[in-house]
Amino acid sequence: MSLTAYRTLGCSGLVVSPLALGTMTFGSGGWNADAPTARAIFDAYRGAGGNVIDTADIYAGGESETLVGQFIRDSGARDAVVLATKFGFNATATASGGGNPHAGGAGAKNIHRALDASLQRLGTDYVDLYWMHVWDGVTPVAEIVQTLGDLVRAGKIRYFGFSDMPAWVAMQAATIAAERHVPGPIAMQLEYSLVARDIEAEHLPAARAAGMAVMPWSPLAGGFLTGKYRRGATGDTGRLSGANPFGNSKFADRNWAILDVVKAVAGELGRPAGQVALAWAMAQPGVGSTLVGARTREQLDSNIAAATIRLDDDQLARLDAASAPTPGFTAALAAPAVRRLIFGGHDVAGW
Ligand SMILES: NC(=O)c1ccc[n+]([C@@H]2O[C@H](COP(=O)([O-])OP(=O)(O)OC[C@H]3O[C@@H](n4cnc5c(N)ncnc54)[C@H](OP(=O)(O)O)[C@@H]3O)[C@@H](O)[C@H]2O)c1
């Protein structure tokens, strides 16, 4: 597969590459790519045929959007690019509080403010895919659907999706939109990797039922699944080393055991571990386009090469077994033994 193996994002007409370029690393910051490096990453991704650029108003204090907007203008490819950005986090919050509550969340007032500011930084008059970055826990879902649908009708955004929310929120939005014959969410953006498979319980089935694609973020678990960190080592470099905003939650016994299997498969294929982790994410049912993040051009090149890997059934089975999430209530309900109890001992096939 290559980046030009285009497909639609969920049940929509938005045509996307199998890998999307995440630009959380673009702009100033300790673990970020400076402007020339960010441009090289952007150019390499576009050169490989990639068409989805994902940013957010909050990344590097808006600098990521500014750089992305500049690169797209310089490339003259606005029409060919799927430009995605996000609203929801509040840039005015301080440790002692006192920020503007209208500068975050999914209320209509903030969405309009946030979109106008993003469009200004991006230097464009529309966004292709507008994400609710995070669920705020209070705004009625009907209001979110109304506001984002109005923006579609106004031509300021083409599509919208939800990130980091309970599955029921996206499902309720899809249901309201379908009943009212108005635009609904086309995708979910969620953490998904071999060491973070929680979304398989509720989000993936909800996405499938509502025709939404899933776009995994942190498919390398912030770099952990590249295998560059060593257990118990202190001198490793990278985003997860030393003092960092992501903590060391990836360095768990369970994750090191998963990484061992990733490395074994990588050894069989003669490929880096990170490429195997990306290939696994891309191969999961329901995944529409997988976000790749990079701090250097070399990292991006390696990540793009993951698209050419096809894991065989045995390799997928070993990776799945090593990383299987603990079945919760929902997964237990779907067990074959429960179905047989319901259908008089028969294995009834579903649609
Ligand atoms: N919706 C959300 O809440 C949310 C949250 C997070 C991310 N995102 C999106 O998802 C995108 C990707 O997320 P992510 O950056 O967390 O993804 P990731 O792929 O899990 O981690 C990327 C990081 O891993 C390291 N890395 C990447 N490729 C590598 C390679 N080939 N070899 C060695 N190290 C490598 C780099 O960090 P170092 O070099 O510093 O180690 C890089 O910054 C973001 O850009 C953003 O667009 C969305």
Side-chain angles (χ1 to χ4, degrees), residues 111-284:
I111 294 180
H112 283 269
R113 179 209 62 78
L115 180 59
D116 287 343
S118 286
L119 290 174
Q120 196 161 21
R121 281 188 293 269
L122 289 163
T124 184
D125 55 6
Y126 74 99
V127 165
D128 294 288
L129 177 55
Y130 201 34
W131 294 104
M132 179 177 79
H133 204 155
V134 63
W135 183 51
D136 66 18
V138 293
T139 303
V141 176
E143 177 177 331
I144 303 171
V145 172
Q146 175 80 40
T147 307
L148 292 170
D150 286 348
L151 289 172
V152 173
R153 281 182 287 270
K156 293 177 85 168
I157 65 173
R158 299 289 182 260
Y159 299 91
F160 64 88
F162 288 176
S163 158
D164 303 352
M165 73 297 153
W168 68 262
V169 170
M171 197 64 194
Q172 189 178 5
T175 306
I176 290 170
E179 288 296 316
R180 295 182 183 174
H181 303 285
V182 296
I186 63 164
M188 302 182 185
Q189 188 176 134
L190 302 160
E191 181 173 15
Y192 193 33
S193 73
L194 277 159
V195 298
R197 293 179 55 186
D198 295 351
I199 66 163
E200 291 178 13
E202 296 283 351
H203 293 78
L204 282 178
R208 181 171 180 271
M212 285 185 248
V214 167
M215 186 180 277
W217 59 258
S218 283
L220 294 175
F224 175 81
L225 286 167
T226 64
K228 68 182 175 183
Y229 298 98
R230 289 158 307 145
R231 208 172 183 155
T234 50
D236 291 336
T237 57
R239 191 164 108 184
L240 304 180
S241 60
N244 71 83
F246 308 96
N248 62 0
S249 60
K250 302 300 179 201
F251 301 136
D253 286 345
R254 180 178 182 278
N255 294 354
W256 290 112
I258 294 168
L259 182 58
D260 285 342
V261 180
V262 176
K263 284 179 172 173
V265 172
E268 291 162 21
L269 295 168
R271 295 289 199 104
Q275 292 184 11
V276 170
L278 289 173
W280 177 88
M282 293 170 79
Q284 297 314 300

